[in-house]
Amino acid sequence: MENVAPQMADPLEYSPGSGGYDEVYGDQQNPREHWRYLLEGFRSLGPQGIRERQMKAERILRDDGASYNSGALGISSTWPLDPVPLVLESEEWGAIEAGLLERAELLDLLLKDLYGERTLIRHGVIPPELLFSHGGFLRACQGISVPGEHQLLLYAADMIRGLDGRMRVVGDRTQAPSGAGYALENRTVMSRVLPSLFRDSHVHRLSLFFQSLRVQLNQVAGHITSDMPRIVILTPGSLNETYFEHGYLANYLGFPLVQGSDLLVSNGYLWMKSLGGLERVDVVLRRVDDYYCDPVELKADSHLGVPGLLEVVRSGRVVVANPLGSGVLENPALMRFMPQIAQHLLGRELRLDSVETYWCGIPQDMAYVVENIDRLVIKPTFRKKGVQSLFGHRLSAAQRAQVLDQIRRYPMHVVAQEYMQPSVTPSWRQGELCARPTLLRSFAVASQGSYSVMPGGLTRVGEAADALNLSNSDGAISKDTWILASEPEKKISLRDVDQQPRPQGGGRSAVFPCRVVENLFWMGRYAERTEAASRLLRTVFVQLNSTYEMPEDSRNLLLRSVTELTTTYPGFTLVDAELLAEPESELMAVVLDAERNGSVTANLNAFVRCADQVREMLSADTQRLINDLRDEVGDLKELLQHGLASAPEEALDPLVTSLLALSGLWHESMVRGLGWRFMDMGRRVEKALQTVRLLRAALVQELPEQEQGRVLEAVLVSLETLMTYRRRSRSGNDMVRGLELLLCDAGNPRSVFYQLRQLQQHLAELPAAAHGVGLAAEDRYVLEAATAIQLVDLEQLTTADEESGQRVALDQLLARLQHLLEETSGQVSGKYFDQIKVHQQLVNTAWDDEL
C-alpha cells in the first residue's frame, strides 16, 4: 500500500474561534463581506510575505522608539503590533460611535453633578457612600469648572463584544486616557507595511480626532487669555509605562512636554521654567493621575505634580484637561447605576450598554456575588497599580476563600461584573492565523456641540487563546483598527487646523523647559565620555595583544591611564602587581559593569536615559542611532564569552562607529537652535576634559625614549590624530609635536584649544547674558584656559624634573585646565539649568499609603 503524506494545515486558513463571537464570521458560515478583501490580500502575500511585513513593522517601531515600559525600573520593550488589523464596517461602527458619543455626554453631565449640586445623591439615584468612599473623589476639587460646554474633554471606553454580537463597555477611562498616541503610531506603521491593502480598503483616517483635540484645547485656552495660548503636556517622566506616547503626542500636536519640576506656581499663575525666563501656561493636558498633581492639597509626597496647581485651577487662571477629580468616573461601581443615571440626566436608556455589574456596598449585590463568584470578574472600585481583576472561574479554593473574606471586610471597595467571553479576531502567531480574544479601546474628544470619536481606536488581543487580562502589562498585543469607509475619504492633517483668525497681540515663540536643555547638555557629555573611554580601551586591547611585547613601565602607565580617564577608581592606580600582570578582569569591569560609575556601560546607560528625557526633541534618524546604541549595551556582553584573547577591540568598534555617526548627524542635521547649542557645549566641555585627563595620565610621567614613543602613539591613536602626526615634519622633539597637535592646534577638531574656541562661540550666543560689569564667570574660565594654552612654552612643558621624573609644568597646566573646564560646566549648570526642588512631606497618613 502506498504511503500518503499527511495533509499540512494551511497557515492562512482562518478557522472560527471556539467559544466567543468571531469577528470574521459572526453568525455566518463564511467570512463576512468586509473581511474578505483583507483575508484575500494576506493569502496573496503568503506566510513569507506576512513575516517580512511583520519584521518591517518591528523595525519601524524600534526606529521610532515606540516602546512600553514595564516593571518598577522602567524596563523598556518595543511596542508590540500584530500585522493583522481588526476590521469593522462603517454601518456597524456608526452604531458604536453613536453609543460612545452618548456615553461621553452622560459622563460629562455626571462629572458636573458629582462636583456640583449632586442631584443624583439628593434624589437617591446613587447612594452617597458610592461617591464619598471612593479614592478618586477629591473634595478639594469641589466647584472647579472648565470654561466652555464640557468638563470632560477626553474620554476612552474599553469595550468587548458579547456572544450576541453587541459591544458592551467594561471600563471607562477619564483621568488621563492613554492609548490614542499608540493607535496613531499603529496606523502610521500599518499604512507603510501594507500600503495597497490599506489604500484599497478605504480606511477612515485618524487625523480629524487629533485636529479636534488641538482645536478644543485652544478654544478652552481662549477663555482665559487673549494671547496665543501656551499649552503643555504634563508627563510623569521617562519611567512611566506610556512615556513614548507622551513624547509622540507632544511632537504631533506641537506642544511642549513637561514634567512637574518644569512648572512653577507664582503670583497666582502657572509658569514653565525656560531658558528665556518664566513662560505663562494656560492649559495643561495631563498624563499624571489626579492625586499626584499637587503635593500641597493632594498627595503630599508626590514629585510628579506642581505645588499650588489646584489653587491656580480653582482661580480659573489655568485649565487642566481632564479636570482634577475626574478619576472618580473610573469607579466601575457607577456602571451598576448607569441605567438610572441615564434616565435621570438624559431621560432615556443608553444605546451602548455596560457589562452587568454588581457593587458589594449593596447587601443584595454582595449576597449575589458571594453566591456566584465562579461566574464573575472581581475588581477594586479604585484602580491601583499592580492590582488586577480576578476571574472567579480561575480561582483556587484558597484564593476564593481569601477573596470572599476581602469582600465581607471591605464591601464598598469591591465590584463584580458578569464574565463575558470576549470576541475573537485573527492574529498572526508562529506563522499562522489564530483566533485570539479581543478588547477595543476607543476615544472621544469634546468638540463643538458634542464629542468627536476616533474612528476605531486601540485594539488589544491576548497573547494566548485563553488570555483573560487583555492589558499591555500582561503581554497583550496591539492591533490597528480599520473602520471601512463606504467611499474614499479626504485626507486631513494637522496642517488643516481650524481656519479661525489668530488672536491679535503677537504670538509666542517656541520654547522648552530648562530640563530639556540640561539633558541635551548631558547627552553631549555622556556621548563624548563613552567614546573617549571606548577609544582608549580599544587602543589598550590592541597594545596588550600586540606581537611586540610592551615594556612593563609603559604597559602599566597605559593601564593606569584607563582608570584615570574613566574615573573607575581605584582600578589600576593601586600598587597591585597581580592586577597589573593580569588586567583582564579589571578591563572587563571598566567596559561592562553597569553599576560602576565611569564604565562604558554606565556612561552609555546614562546617555540613553538623557535621550529618553528629550525624546520629543530628537529626529527619527537620531532616535534610530540611539536605539542602535541601546542595543550595543547588550552586544558588549559578548566580550565575557571570549575574553581578551579574541580581539575584544572589535566588539567596541560598532559602538565607536555609532557614536561617530551620531556626532555627524548632530553636526549636519540639527538646526542651530538652543537645543543644539547646549548639546554641543556638553560635547566640547567633555571632549576637552577627556583629552586633558588622558594627557595628564599618560604623558606627565617621563619614560625612556622608545617607551615614551609607544605611549605617545597610543594616545594619538586613541584621539584619532596619529596619521596627522606622522604626516607632519619629523624634525624636533616628538613630545613637542604631539602636545602641539593635541593641545594647541586650532585646526585639529580634537585639540583642547579647538574645544575652547567652540565654547567661546556658544557662550557668546546664549540668552540671559546680562551679568553686570565685565565677563561672566564661565567666559572668564574659558578665556583663561584658552590664553594659558596660547602662552605655553612647549619645550618647557616636555622637560622633566630630574629628581621626580615628572613633567611638572605640563602637570600644572593640565591640572589648571581641568579645573577651569569643570568650573565652566558648573557655571553653565547653575545659571541655565533648573535644579529640581525636593518637597519634604510633613505629615504622612494611612490614606497616603493606601493610594
Side-chain angles (χ1 to χ4, degrees):
M1 188 172 178
E2 231 178 79
N3 288 331
V4 179
Q7 284 277 41
M8 296 293 290
D10 185 351
L12 292 171
E13 186 63 43
Y14 174 72
S15 301
S18 58
Y21 181 92
D22 193 287
E23 294 287 343
V24 173
Y25 290 90
D27 54 4
Q28 304 173 179
Q29 295 294 320
N30 297 313
R32 294 194 287 172
E33 183 64 32
H34 61 279
W35 274 94
R36 289 179 184 171
Y37 181 70
L38 179 72
L39 294 176
E40 289 170 3
F42 273 95
R43 181 173 292 281
S44 65
L45 287 173
Q48 182 61 30
I50 298 173
R51 176 59 186 153
E52 288 173 358
R53 281 154 180 80
Q54 184 180 38
M55 292 174 66
K56 181 179 179 181
E58 290 171 357
R59 285 196 303 273
I60 294 172
L61 289 164
R62 175 194 172 278
D63 290 344
D64 287 351
S67 60
Y68 183 84
N69 301 334
S70 58
L73 297 178
I75 299 171
S76 179
S77 57
T78 300
W79 177 251
L81 175 61
D82 191 330
V84 186
L86 172 68
V87 182
L88 298 172
E89 62 178 344
S90 187
E91 183 178 349
E92 180 183 26
W93 174 251
I96 297 171
E97 181 182 38
L100 287 170
L101 284 173
E102 183 183 58
R103 193 175 186 92
E105 292 281 4
L106 178 61
L107 288 173
D108 180 61
L109 294 173
L110 178 57
L111 182 62
K112 293 174 184 175
D113 185 73
L114 294 181
Y115 286 102
E117 297 181 359
R118 301 197 185 101
T119 59
L120 292 170
I121 291 178
R122 289 194 287 108
H123 288 85
V125 178
I126 61 174
E129 55 269 31
L130 180 68
L131 176 66
F132 298 122
S133 69
H134 190 255
F137 175 67
L138 304 180
R139 289 170 175 80
C141 297
Q142 176 68 28
I144 287 178
S145 177
V146 174
E149 290 183 76
H150 300 93
Q151 297 296 298
L152 193 67
L153 301 187
L154 273 172
Y155 166 66
D158 287 336
M159 299 175 288
I160 60 175
R161 195 193 297 271
L163 289 170
D164 58 1
R166 294 177 58 201
M167 282 285 191
R168 288 178 175 82
V169 176
V170 295
D172 296 300
R173 296 290 176 261
T174 55
Q175 283 196 82
S178 64
Y182 286 112
L184 181 59
E185 172 70 2
N186 286 351
R187 174 60 53 83
T188 302
V189 173
M190 290 294 290
S191 63
R192 290 176 62 184
V193 299
L194 295 172
S196 298
L197 276 174
F198 177 80
R199 182 180 59 251
D200 296 342
S201 296
H202 304 313
V203 180
H204 276 283
R205 300 181 182 273
L206 307 182
S207 305
L208 183 59
F209 173 84
F210 295 97
Q211 175 186 332
S212 299
L213 172 59
R214 195 162 78 170
V215 169
Q216 179 64 26
L217 294 175
N218 276 280
Q219 287 178 345
V220 168
H223 290 275
I224 59 176
T225 181
S226 59
D227 199 353
M228 286 295 292
R230 172 83 62 215
I231 303 170
V232 301
I233 298 179
L234 177 62
T235 174
S238 60
L239 294 183
N240 184 263
E241 59 270 18
T242 58
Y243 180 70
F244 161 76
E245 179 182 52
H246 307 166
Y248 187 72
L249 287 177
N251 259 343
Y252 192 78
L253 296 171
F255 301 149
L257 184 67
V258 300
Q259 297 181 20
S261 59
D262 300 324
L263 302 176
L264 169 73
V265 170
S266 179
N267 296 324
Y269 291 93
L270 181 66
W271 307 87
M272 181 175 71
K273 294 173 276 191
S274 70
L275 287 178
L278 297 179
E279 298 281 342
R280 182 179 158 186
V281 174
D282 304 298
V283 177
V284 178
L285 177 61
R286 66 182 174 99
R287 283 296 184 265
V288 176
D289 285 349
D290 292 329
Y291 196 52
Y292 295 87
C293 283
D294 186 345
V296 173
E297 297 196 50
L298 301 174
K299 187 170 175 55
D301 60 347
S302 171
H303 293 263
L304 305 179
V306 186
L309 174 63
L310 196 52
E311 182 58 34
V312 185
V313 173
R314 198 179 285 121
S315 69
R317 291 171 175 168
V318 73
V319 174
V320 175
N322 278 337
L324 298 175
S326 56
V328 69
L329 299 180
E330 295 185 354
N331 182 356
L334 285 171
M335 293 186 185
R336 160 71 169 77
F337 302 93
M338 203 59 77
Q340 299 94 308
I341 294 171
Q343 284 290 348
H344 183 84
L345 296 178
L346 296 178
R348 61 178 183 271
E349 294 182 0
L350 288 173
R351 302 174 188 174
L352 190 61
D353 291 334
S354 307
V355 67
E356 195 70 31
T357 304
Y358 308 90
W359 180 47
C360 293
I362 301 175
Q364 58 267 35
D365 279 17
M366 187 175 80
Y368 179 86
V369 171
V370 170
E371 186 69 26
N372 298 277
I373 191 170
D374 288 343
R375 51 184 288 186
L376 300 173
V377 182
I378 310 300
K379 298 181 175 182
T381 59
F382 185 69
R383 286 191 305 126
K384 299 177 186 176
K385 193 169 184 178
V387 178
Q388 296 180 331
S389 300
L390 300 175
F391 293 81
H393 64 282
R394 290 278 183 93
L395 296 176
S396 65
Q399 290 171 328
R400 188 182 300 110
Q402 184 179 5
V403 171
L404 290 174
D405 179 61
Q406 289 291 317
I407 291 174
R408 294 187 179 101
R409 291 174 63 189
Y410 307 104
M412 287 190 294
H413 294 174
V414 181
V415 165
Q417 294 179 333
E418 293 286 351
Y419 171 68
M420 285 182 57
Q421 188 165 2
S423 64
V424 295
T425 190
S427 180
W428 188 251
R429 289 287 186 281
Q430 284 81 47
E432 61 180 342
L433 290 175
C434 306
R436 289 293 183 266
T438 306
L439 180 143
L440 171 62
R441 175 175 291 185
S442 197
F443 305 86
V445 59
S447 59
Q448 194 69 33
S450 182
Y451 282 82
S452 295
V453 176
M454 177 186 289
L458 180 66
T459 298
R460 287 171 290 188
V461 295
E463 192 170 17
D466 59 350
L468 296 178
N469 280 312
L470 303 181
S471 65
N472 295 105
S473 58
D474 290 307
I477 311 299
S478 73
K479 278 179 175 285
D480 192 12
T481 309
W482 289 7
I483 309 301
L484 305 187
S486 55
E487 58 184 28
E489 270 195 315
K490 177 186 176 182
K491 294 185 179 181
I492 302 174
S493 74
L494 283 178
R495 296 186 182 88
D496 306 315
V497 76
D498 62 326
Q499 300 301 311
Q500 299 176 13
R502 294 191 171 189
Q504 300 299 310
R508 292 178 174 175
S509 59
V511 295
F512 34 79
C514 298
R515 173 187 52 83
V516 171
V517 290
E518 181 177 15
N519 278 283
L520 287 168
F521 179 82
W522 280 100
M523 269 182 71
R525 290 201 65 172
Y526 282 123
E528 292 298 331
R529 198 173 289 182
T530 306
E531 183 185 340
S534 301
R535 284 182 173 280
L536 179 60
L537 283 161
R538 191 171 62 171
T539 303
V540 170
F541 286 147
V542 171
Q543 293 288 345
L544 291 177
N545 291 330
S546 173
T547 55
Y548 301 97
E549 186 174 351
M550 202 172 195
E552 183 178 351
D553 286 346
S554 54
R555 179 177 181 272
N556 292 346
L557 185 61
L558 277 181
L559 290 174
R560 284 197 297 273
S561 298
V562 170
T563 301
E564 296 284 355
L565 181 77
T566 60
T567 67
T568 50
Y569 298 106
F572 295 111
T573 59
L574 290 174
V575 183
D576 187 335
E578 184 177 345
L579 179 64
L580 291 170
E582 297 182 3
E584 288 87 353
S585 61
E586 174 63 16
L587 289 171
M588 287 296 176
V590 173
V591 176
L592 299 172
D593 190 350
E595 302 300 319
R596 192 167 181 180
N597 288 336
S599 74
V600 172
T601 300
N603 286 332
L604 198 52
N605 286 337
F607 168 80
V608 170
R609 285 194 295 270
C610 289
D612 285 341
Q613 290 283 342
V614 295
R615 179 178 291 171
E616 74 280 7
M617 301 287 295
L618 305 177
S619 69
D621 286 335
T622 303
Q623 187 64 59
R624 192 173 297 117
L625 277 172
I626 290 171
N627 288 331
D628 290 340
L629 288 167
R630 198 189 304 266
D631 292 344
E632 295 295 339
V633 176
D635 294 342
L636 284 174
K637 293 180 180 178
E638 294 183 8
L639 276 170
L640 290 173
Q641 301 174 358
H642 305 294
L644 292 180
S646 302
E649 66 276 3
E650 292 185 6
L652 292 169
D653 286 343
L655 175 58
V656 173
T657 300
S658 295
L659 287 166
L660 286 172
L662 188 62
S663 177
L665 185 62
W666 284 340
H667 183 73
E668 295 296 334
S669 300
M670 282 190 74
V671 174
R672 277 12 182 200
L674 281 175
W676 171 81
R677 198 167 295 284
F678 274 95
M679 185 210 60
D680 201 58
M681 283 175 63
R683 292 183 59 222
R684 301 304 172 186
V685 167
E686 194 62 42
K687 195 187 288 282
L689 271 172
Q690 293 295 321
T691 302
V692 166
R693 285 199 182 103
L694 181 56
L695 295 179
R696 195 177 181 194
L699 301 183
V700 166
Q701 175 68 49
E702 185 181 42
L703 295 173
E705 184 177 352
Q706 187 173 1
E707 293 185 41
Q708 189 72 76
R710 289 286 297 275
V711 171
L712 177 60
E713 284 205 2
V715 171
L716 291 165
V717 168
S718 178
L719 295 173
E720 205 178 17
T721 51
L722 180 61
M723 297 302 295
T724 304
Y725 172 81
R726 287 177 173 172
R727 287 194 186 102
R728 294 192 175 179
S729 169
R730 291 186 172 275
S731 60
N733 186 313
D734 286 348
M735 281 292 294
V736 168
R737 291 190 295 117
L739 288 175
E740 181 183 25
L741 185 60
L742 298 175
L743 268 180
C744 312
D745 193 336
N748 176 15
R750 289 192 174 271
S751 76
V752 177
F753 187 68
Y754 183 89
Q755 315 312 321
L756 294 170
R757 280 284 181 85
Q758 297 298 309
L759 278 172
Q760 286 178 315
Q761 293 177 19
H762 288 315
L763 290 171
E765 296 294 330
L766 292 186
H771 48 264
V773 179
L775 292 174
E778 61 272 20
D779 293 302
R780 291 202 308 272
Y781 294 139
V782 174
L783 178 59
E784 181 183 341
T787 304
I789 291 177
Q790 287 177 299
L791 296 177
V792 78
D793 182 339
L794 291 173
E795 290 289 349
Q796 183 183 357
L797 287 185
T798 59
T799 303
D801 180 72
E802 293 184 3
E803 185 175 338
S804 64
Q806 302 282 315
R807 296 184 174 93
V808 178
L810 177 61
D811 187 45
Q812 290 175 345
L813 172 66
L814 294 174
R816 183 61 182 166
L817 291 175
Q818 184 173 335
H819 170 76
L820 292 170
L821 286 163
E822 289 168 349
E823 287 297 310
T824 300
S825 178
Q827 283 293 321
V828 169
S829 297
K831 181 176 289 189
Y832 296 103
F833 307 151
D834 179 65
Q835 303 301 313
I836 296 175
K837 306 296 189 297
V838 177
H839 308 293
Q840 179 67 43
Q841 183 178 13
L842 299 180
V843 179
N844 187 54
T845 66
W847 185 250
D848 287 327
D849 294 334
E850 275 190 36
L851 294 174

